[in-house]
Amino acid sequence: MLQLSIDPDLPVPLVEQIVQAVRHQVDDRILRPGMRLPPIRKLAQTQQISRFTVVEAYDRLVALGYLQSRRGSGFYVAPQRVPTPSRQRPVIAEQAVDVAWLMRQALDDSPDVLKASAGWLPAEWLDQEGLRRHLRTLGRRADARVTSYGSAQGYLPLRQQLQIRLAEFGIGAPPEQILLTHGATQALDIAARHLLKPGDTVFVDDPGYFNFFGNLRLIGAKLVGVPRGADGPDIDTLEALLEIHRPKVFFTHSVLHNPTGANLSPAAAFRLLQLANRHDFLVIEDDTYADLHPHATTRLANLDQLDRVIYVGSFTKTLSGSLRVGFMAARPDLIAQFTDVKTLTAVSSSEFTEQLVYQMLTDGHYRKYVERLHGRLAQASADALRLLERLGMEVFLEPKGGLFLWGRAPHIEDSAPLASRAAEARIMLAPGKVFRPQMQASPWLRFNVAFSSEPRLERFLDEAFARA
Amino acid sequence: MLQLSIDPDLPVPLVEQIVQAVRHQVDDRILRPGMRLPPIRKLAQTQQISRFTVVEAYDRLVALGYLQSRRGSGFYVAPQRVPTPSRQRPVIAEQAVDVAWLMRQALDDSPDVLKASAGWLPAEWLDQEGLRRHLRTLGRRADARVTSYGSAQGYLPLRQQLQIRLAEFGIGAPPEQILLTHGATQALDIAARHLLKPGDTVFVDDPGYFNFFGNLRLIGAKLVGVPRGADGPDIDTLEALLEIHRPKVFFTHSVLHNPTGANLSPAAAFRLLQLANRHDFLVIEDDTYADLHPHATTRLANLDQLDRVIYVGSFTKTLSGSLRVGFMAARPDLIAQFTDVKTLTAVSSSEFTEQLVYQMLTDGHYRKYVERLHGRLAQASADALRLLERLGMEVFLEPKGGLFLWGRAPHIEDSAPLASRAAEARIMLAPGKVFRPQMQASPWLRFNVAFSSEPRLERFLDEAFARA
């Protein structure tokens, strides 16, 4: 029998008081499965409350799985409360170190895991309060578009805003040449699906962005690595590889290259585009980390003006990984085809989160906020550089900005076993192997400078290198 | 020279006053490209306002493309305002009627287009105020997760909620067997990409959900249609087709079948699953319209309990197409593989919009709201049935709920030219052809009952049929 004492003077809403009382009594087995609850009218009378209050409380309890509604008969305690322990997926350290493994680990949100391998900023560095403010604003605006699918190419004001931003990089792209996507990864996926068929050859940076390598393998593409130096892809090697292979696409990262942090030099950019013309391949330029670079720098799309270059960007790194807003800019004919692929595979992107990103970009705070991130990252990078030096690691180069340091572990040939051992200690490391197109052994590790200041990282690596 | 009269007593914020003044003067060519704006300090002094106010206004103007900031030199009117007319993509009536065409038209949000072909409810039927209320609530909650990528499988509380909801359909699926996706379409896409390679045979409903046919063609699958009757797929024909073909997957729609509105009978479900076992194929059961069905009805996953059935659902139809929240439930081994495909192709789904859906499902209003939709749809369906009768159209069946009526146009063999002519009159019709796996000519049309009450639809069809 339900025991209920409702107090209208409490600050807790009446609906909530009923919900809590029933939940506790079901959890404590005072109300047992199958027991009937007082009819709505009766409970409202005895408690002197509105029937709507009882209906809303019962409906919430049904939604929460505590009650069941039987048509025409009333509400009953649900037959068995489904046990739904919110346990974390255990970190399986024995598991083979591969791309999917690394991504799963990175997305594991157990609070005790140190994510020295993450590809993003810590949540507390981001403008969470700004986002929340815009949520409230959108929630008050009757003209906010919260339910419609939106257009196939994505929210027009954001595409117009991107035109302005790309113009600052010297890239001319009207809104018609911009397609909004579910993060940069969907943009890369759409391009790859449209341009490649199983067996096709793709050139990639070696080392390069591992998650997209996994994507290309899923499509059945043949990956050929082009060695990556401090100035960009090694163009002499690229030229030699083009004697042997006929790639459809070269997928590369120009600014704050993942994982090395290196930029592309104008000379390398020019030679790369000349080769693309001569050998008739397209270039996918991933510029995900664009806004983390404090200065102007060379982009392929700036030279090429979206003739052979498909440019991909994102707001995941500076605004929110949760909103999943990315974009691509390309030739009109390609954008038309990519739009159809997007429609067939995902219908549309979220116009709602696109509005939110548009608000964040245009409220006048974004530039200052990003400058603060630059300063904070520069400090973290200096600290992490000193850490790697103390540990006796070789650093590939001192990046001009961004998240990453690429460090070589001393005395070992393959950093993958080290990453496995680190996972046991709940430290996530990104071993060089996963950044290589054929998963070749590598002594390198990628560090995220924003996550590298915890002393237990230094302790772990110090001990590990001493043992090696 | 900037003309500025700021009034602190106006209800418009000071920042906004500056922004508006500059915008108007740039638009009216009073401020011309290249002109320098007053330095921040000076403007703050002359107007007796805070420097922060000026900084914020200038930053917004930069973000809006009106100004340019030159490091160390100040703010200038941008060299040329990029013309960004917000023109709609014209309705190209001559274009071949195909799947992508239909989707593009459906997503065209020109207000004067009558979307008799849409696959969703009108925005004003949805609980927009409920969504806005939850936006405001999330915006006030410090624990709302607005920036993190979230876990690979999706927001756990929503998966727990789905376990409860699927249990109501008699489907046992713990959160570990549920993967959240970017709408149901991404769920279908992930399953298809993982299970199929180019050249593989897939059985599909004929007629069936056209957008997924386009997706399967993109993957290179061979589509074989299984005729769809009032009780589900024609099982005798299915059996005969299995003598000739070896499908990897049968993709089908059990409840409120798109486009016919028919349900699956228990007997057809049982025989279909027996054949799946004997011929060793998997079944993808698309249940996108589940919540629009007012009564309990048969599902394959209810009989099979996710052994051979991959179950796909969505909140797009009842909550919002813009949030893009869908899900799939399947065997643990398949869910693990699908999760990896999701990670490689999209990293994660939006944890933010998943929280919003969770709030909408559990605040105690969802059941009542959906019941209201049922009532409203029943009324609209009755009206639309009468309309088709008046027009002399044959109706496939009277559905038990949902959005669709499947009607046969009199005196014609192919409804595609009719749809082209309708597009010229800014009426979007969904011709039967696009619902057929080989795009065979068809005299049928799909109507969305919620969009079919406008008199100009009846007028157009009346005239068109009289001409035929």
Side-chain angles (χ1 to χ4, degrees):
Chain A
M1 180 66 200
L2 177 67
Q3 311 288 326
L4 203 55
S5 75
I6 285 179
D7 182 352
D9 295 331
L10 280 178
V12 182
L14 295 178
V15 170
E16 194 58 34
Q17 291 187 39
I18 303 174
V19 169
Q20 291 303 340
V22 174
R23 286 181 72 154
H24 292 150
Q25 290 172 52
V26 172
D27 286 342
D28 298 346
R29 314 277 292 166
I30 295 165
L31 291 171
R32 288 172 171 277
M35 271 182 160
R36 183 158 180 241
L37 270 88
I40 290 165
R41 185 190 304 258
K42 202 176 146 196
L43 189 64
Q45 251 171 9
T46 55
Q47 299 288 336
Q48 304 197 359
I49 54 180
S50 144
R51 270 190 278 159
F52 294 111
T53 306
V54 181
V55 168
E56 192 174 332
Y58 280 9
D59 273 354
R60 268 194 75 181
L61 287 159
V62 169
L64 291 164
Y66 280 85
L67 300 186
Q68 271 193 332
S69 147
R70 296 187 200 153
R71 200 169 282 269
S73 156
F75 289 83
Y76 295 80
V77 179
Q80 44 179 18
R81 282 281 300 142
V82 198
T84 52
S86 77
R87 57 192 140 96
Q88 307 285 349
R89 189 199 274 246
V91 176
I92 304 167
E94 316 81 58
Q95 203 166 357
V97 170
D98 66 18
V99 169
W101 172 86
L102 188 58
M103 284 304 290
R104 272 197 308 270
Q105 300 314 317
L107 294 173
D108 181 338
D109 60 357
S110 314
D112 67 325
V113 173
L114 171 54
K115 292 188 186 175
S117 64
W120 44 82
L121 286 167
E124 56 279 14
W125 286 36
L126 300 176
D127 185 13
Q128 307 202 32
E129 189 35 49
L131 262 173
R132 291 205 191 92
R133 195 174 55 245
H134 283 294
L135 281 181
R136 297 193 295 268
T137 308
L138 276 178
R140 282 191 299 267
R141 273 177 45 187
D143 65 334
R145 294 160 64 92
V146 293
T147 56
S148 63
Y149 279 82
S151 73
Q153 268 187 254
Y155 188 56
L156 181 63
L158 179 54
R159 287 188 283 127
Q160 291 170 333
Q161 183 59 26
L162 282 166
Q163 173 180 32
I164 294 166
R165 296 170 56 78
L166 291 178
E168 285 170 20
F169 292 156
I171 303 167
E176 294 73 24
Q177 277 180 258
I178 297 173
L179 175 66
L180 302 186
T181 58
H182 178 75
T185 303
Q186 195 204 22
L188 297 172
D189 186 45
I190 286 173
R193 286 177 86 164
H194 182 68
L195 300 171
L196 302 173
K197 54 180 197 305
D200 280 346
T201 298
V202 187
F203 280 12
V204 296
D205 293 334
D206 178 10
Y209 173 47
F210 61 92
N211 198 51
F212 190 57
F213 293 174
N215 186 310
L216 290 167
R217 281 189 212 105
L218 189 70
I219 289 168
K222 199 178 117 193
L223 276 65
V224 175
V226 180
R228 179 85 193 194
D231 288 334
D234 177 335
I235 303 294
D236 292 334
T237 309
L238 174 61
E239 204 157 4
L241 287 168
L242 286 165
E243 301 294 315
I244 314 165
H245 303 281
R246 291 188 54 84
K248 284 234 179 114
V249 175
F250 185 8
F251 164 66
T252 186
H253 216 132
S254 305
V255 177
L256 299 176
H257 170 251
N258 178 1
T260 66
N263 287 334
L264 180 70
S265 75
F270 177 68
R271 284 188 63 199
L272 195 162
L273 289 169
Q274 273 187 315
L275 290 172
N277 268 304
R278 195 175 320 140
H279 294 269
D280 193 23
F281 58 86
L282 294 171
V283 180
I284 300 178
E285 181 172 46
D286 179 356
D287 203 12
T288 298
Y289 296 95
D291 286 355
L292 296 182
H293 199 294
H295 311 293
T297 183
T298 303
R299 287 172 171 82
L300 293 164
N302 179 206
L303 274 66
D304 165 88
Q305 294 298 318
L306 304 179
D307 177 24
R308 291 189 169 273
V309 173
I310 297 156
Y311 179 86
V312 171
S314 166
F315 295 101
T316 285
K317 305 303 174 187
T318 50
L319 289 182
S320 162
S322 186
L323 299 183
R324 316 298 308 122
V325 177
F327 66 93
M328 56 207 303
R331 275 196 329 244
D333 59 321
L334 286 174
I335 285 295
Q337 291 152 3
F338 294 156
T339 303
D340 283 350
V341 173
K342 174 182 164 187
T343 303
L344 293 177
T345 59
V347 182
S348 64
S349 40
S350 170
E351 189 176 57
F352 170 71
T353 59
E354 288 164 6
Q355 281 173 91
L356 211 50
V357 166
Y358 173 76
Q359 297 295 341
M360 292 290 286
L361 291 179
T362 56
D363 73 359
H365 296 101
Y366 186 71
R367 191 176 60 96
K368 275 258 170 322
Y369 155 68
V370 165
E371 276 174 15
R372 278 197 302 276
L373 287 183
H374 295 164
R376 208 167 164 183
L377 276 168
Q379 184 56 53
S381 184
D383 292 347
L385 266 169
R386 277 196 300 275
L387 166 68
L388 300 200
E389 274 165 22
R390 278 201 303 279
L391 289 164
M393 294 182 76
E394 178 193 334
V395 175
F396 184 76
L397 57 71
E398 199 171 322
K400 297 270 195 298
L403 300 175
F404 301 130
L405 281 185
W406 186 234
R408 183 190 176 116
H411 320 304
I412 59 171
E413 291 305 307
D414 183 1
S415 54
L418 183 70
S420 285
R421 285 207 306 280
E424 287 171 33
R426 303 196 72 74
I427 295 172
M428 295 305 148
L429 293 180
K433 177 178 178 171
V434 299
F435 298 91
R436 304 208 59 191
Q438 271 72 43
M439 301 277 283
Q440 303 97 319
S442 160
W444 294 86
L445 289 161
R446 185 189 75 181
F447 292 92
N448 181 325
V449 299
F451 285 96
S452 294
S453 59
E454 270 192 50
R456 65 176 170 135
L457 175 64
E458 180 164 11
R459 270 201 311 277
F460 172 83
L461 288 175
D462 216 12
E463 282 170 31
F465 294 160
R467 266 200 281 172
Chain B
M1 181 67 197
L2 177 66
Q3 309 288 325
L4 202 56
S5 77
I6 285 179
D7 181 353
D9 295 331
L10 282 179
V12 182
L14 296 177
V15 170
E16 193 58 35
Q17 291 187 40
I18 303 174
V19 169
Q20 292 303 341
V22 174
R23 284 182 73 154
H24 292 150
Q25 291 172 50
V26 172
D27 286 341
D28 298 347
R29 312 276 296 167
I30 296 166
L31 291 172
R32 286 170 173 280
M35 273 184 160
R36 183 157 179 245
L37 270 88
I40 290 164
R41 187 189 305 257
K42 199 173 149 201
L43 189 64
Q45 251 171 10
T46 55
Q47 299 288 335
Q48 304 197 359
I49 53 178
S50 146
R51 271 193 277 157
F52 294 110
T53 305
V54 182
V55 168
E56 191 174 332
Y58 280 9
D59 273 354
R60 268 194 74 180
L61 287 159
V62 170
L64 290 165
Y66 281 85
L67 300 187
Q68 270 192 334
S69 147
R70 296 187 199 153
R71 201 169 282 268
S73 157
F75 289 83
Y76 294 79
V77 178
Q80 43 179 21
R81 282 281 300 145
V82 198
T84 53
S86 76
R87 59 191 139 97
Q88 307 286 351
R89 188 199 275 244
V91 175
I92 305 166
E94 317 80 57
Q95 202 166 356
V97 170
D98 65 18
V99 170
W101 172 86
L102 188 58
M103 284 305 288
R104 273 197 307 269
Q105 300 315 317
L107 294 173
D108 180 337
D109 59 358
S110 315
D112 66 325
V113 173
L114 170 54
K115 292 189 186 175
S117 64
W120 44 81
L121 285 168
E124 56 278 15
W125 286 37
L126 299 176
D127 184 14
Q128 306 202 35
E129 188 37 48
L131 262 172
R132 292 205 190 92
R133 193 174 58 244
H134 284 294
L135 282 179
R136 297 193 296 267
T137 309
L138 276 177
R140 282 191 299 266
R141 272 176 47 187
D143 66 335
R145 295 162 63 91
V146 293
T147 55
S148 63
Y149 278 83
S151 73
Q153 268 188 254
Y155 188 55
L156 182 62
L158 180 55
R159 287 187 284 128
Q160 291 170 331
Q161 183 61 24
L162 282 167
Q163 173 180 30
I164 294 166
R165 295 170 58 78
L166 291 178
E168 286 171 19
F169 292 158
I171 302 167
E176 294 74 24
Q177 276 181 259
I178 297 171
L179 176 66
L180 302 186
T181 58
H182 178 74
T185 304
Q186 195 203 24
L188 297 172
D189 186 46
I190 287 173
R193 287 177 85 164
H194 181 68
L195 299 171
L196 302 172
K197 53 181 199 306
D200 281 346
T201 297
V202 187
F203 279 14
V204 296
D205 292 335
D206 178 10
Y209 174 47
F210 60 91
N211 198 51
F212 190 57
F213 293 173
N215 186 309
L216 290 167
R217 281 189 212 106
L218 189 69
I219 289 168
K222 198 178 117 194
L223 276 66
V224 174
V226 179
R228 179 86 192 193
D231 287 334
D234 177 335
I235 303 294
D236 291 333
T237 309
L238 174 61
E239 204 158 1
L241 287 168
L242 286 166
E243 300 295 315
I244 314 165
H245 303 282
R246 291 186 53 84
K248 283 232 180 118
V249 175
F250 184 9
F251 164 66
T252 186
H253 216 135
S254 305
V255 177
L256 298 175
H257 169 252
N258 179 0
T260 65
N263 287 332
L264 180 69
S265 75
F270 177 68
R271 284 187 64 197
L272 194 164
L273 289 170
Q274 273 188 315
L275 290 171
N277 267 305
R278 194 176 319 141
H279 294 270
D280 194 23
F281 59 85
L282 294 170
V283 180
I284 300 178
E285 181 173 44
D286 179 354
D287 203 12
T288 298
Y289 296 93
D291 286 355
L292 295 182
H293 199 295
H295 311 294
T297 182
T298 303
R299 287 172 169 83
L300 293 164
N302 179 206
L303 273 66
D304 165 87
Q305 294 297 319
L306 304 178
D307 177 25
R308 291 189 167 273
V309 173
I310 297 156
Y311 179 88
V312 171
S314 166
F315 294 101
T316 285
K317 305 303 174 186
T318 50
L319 289 182
S320 162
S322 187
L323 300 182
R324 315 300 305 125
V325 176
F327 66 93
M328 56 208 303
R331 277 197 326 244
D333 59 320
L334 287 173
I335 285 294
Q337 292 152 4
F338 294 155
T339 303
D340 284 351
V341 173
K342 173 183 165 186
T343 303
L344 293 175
T345 58
V347 182
S348 63
S349 39
S350 171
E351 188 177 56
F352 170 70
T353 58
E354 289 163 4
Q355 282 172 92
L356 211 49
V357 166
Y358 173 75
Q359 297 296 339
M360 291 291 284
L361 292 180
T362 56
D363 73 358
H365 297 100
Y366 186 70
R367 191 176 59 96
K368 274 258 169 322
Y369 156 67
V370 165
E371 276 175 14
R372 278 196 302 275
L373 288 182
H374 294 164
R376 208 165 164 185
L377 277 169
Q379 183 57 51
S381 184
D383 292 349
L385 265 169
R386 275 196 301 274
L387 166 69
L388 299 200
E389 274 165 23
R390 277 200 303 277
L391 289 164
M393 295 183 76
E394 177 193 336
V395 175
F396 185 75
L397 58 70
E398 198 171 322
K400 297 270 196 297
L403 300 176
F404 301 129
L405 280 185
W406 187 234
R408 184 188 175 119
H411 319 306
I412 60 172
E413 291 306 306
D414 183 359
S415 54
L418 182 70
S420 286
R421 285 207 306 279
E424 286 172 34
R426 302 195 75 73
I427 295 173
M428 294 304 146
L429 293 180
K433 178 178 178 170
V434 299
F435 297 92
R436 304 209 60 190
Q438 271 73 41
M439 302 276 284
Q440 302 98 318
S442 158
W444 294 86
L445 290 161
R446 186 189 75 182
F447 292 92
N448 181 326
V449 299
F451 287 95
S452 294
S453 59
E454 271 193 49
R456 64 176 170 135
L457 175 64
E458 179 164 8
R459 269 201 312 276
F460 172 83
L461 288 176
D462 216 13
E463 283 170 29
F465 294 161
R467 266 201 280 173

